[in-house]
Amino acid sequence: MPTEIERKFLVHGDSWRDAVESETRIMQGYLANNQNATVRVRVAGEQAWLTIKGMMRGPSRSEYEYAIPSEDAVTMLDELAVSAPIDKVRYRVRWGAHVWDLDVFAGENQGLVMAEVELASEDEPFEMPDWAGREVTGDGRYYNVNLARHPYRHW
């Protein structure tokens, strides 16, 4: 079973911008969410995916991801999403031995900047960037599915 292991942190400052390797605008929405699974559709550039994620167990959860036609993804976002889509730009930043994803949110989540690092195991060591602030891995408010329903700007 595919497993996603990631740690999430709030970001302070913008010194990370000096190390950006790539950037991609992402629109994503949720088709279903319950205690066992979340179903997400994501459009990133010209590509799109349907992703099914299991319930969080610490920093880990099962994850299944499938490429789908972009046109289908856009239609799903328009017709099937249970809340407004998340709009963000994802920046890839190398720090130490890892590549971090930094998400700069727009729209109703504007002002929120989060970083996440994917790990091979829950106890894998990683170098903490100077721009990484408080860890929010276990804080459900920062899950994208919850940001879609309860945007950051309204906290």
Side-chain angles (χ1 to χ4, degrees):
M1 164 175 37
T3 302
E4 172 186 62
I5 303 169
E6 68 182 13
R7 306 261 307 264
K8 292 184 176 203
F9 301 85
L10 297 178
V11 174
H12 54 81
D14 62 358
S15 63
W16 57 270
R17 290 185 183 276
D18 296 334
V20 169
E21 293 184 351
S22 67
E23 68 180 79
T24 306
R25 180 165 182 239
I26 295 174
M27 294 292 291
Q28 67 185 43
Y30 295 87
L31 309 183
N33 179 46
N34 62 48
Q35 65 185 25
N36 295 319
T38 298
V39 180
R40 175 188 77 200
V41 71
R42 173 182 280 174
V43 178
E46 299 297 317
Q47 299 178 309
W49 298 269
L50 184 65
T51 305
I52 303 159
K53 293 187 177 200
M55 152 172 72
M56 291 294 294
R57 289 178 169 73
S60 302
R61 65 178 156 190
S62 57
E63 178 182 66
Y64 302 89
E65 189 164 71
Y66 307 96
I68 61 173
S70 294
E71 301 80 21
D72 290 356
V74 170
T75 300
M76 288 179 197
L77 285 172
D78 289 343
E79 297 179 6
L80 304 176
V82 296
S83 57
I86 296 280
D87 184 3
K88 61 187 178 181
V89 176
R90 172 161 289 172
Y91 297 89
R92 307 271 305 185
V93 176
R94 184 169 305 281
W95 192 270
H98 293 87
V99 175
W100 291 66
D101 291 332
L102 277 81
D103 291 339
V104 177
F105 290 82
E108 290 297 299
N109 289 295
Q110 188 169 353
L112 178 60
V113 182
M114 279 195 304
E116 60 186 47
V117 60
E118 289 206 19
L119 305 170
S121 66
E122 289 187 16
D123 59 352
E124 178 182 350
F126 60 94
E127 185 178 339
M128 183 67 77
D130 56 359
W131 37 259
R134 181 169 61 93
E135 183 167 8
V136 294
T137 299
D139 189 336
R141 294 176 303 164
Y142 293 97
Y143 297 167
N144 282 289
V145 67
N146 292 332
L147 290 170
R149 288 182 294 178
H150 307 287
Y152 179 74
R153 289 177 56 181
H154 301 287
W155 292 5

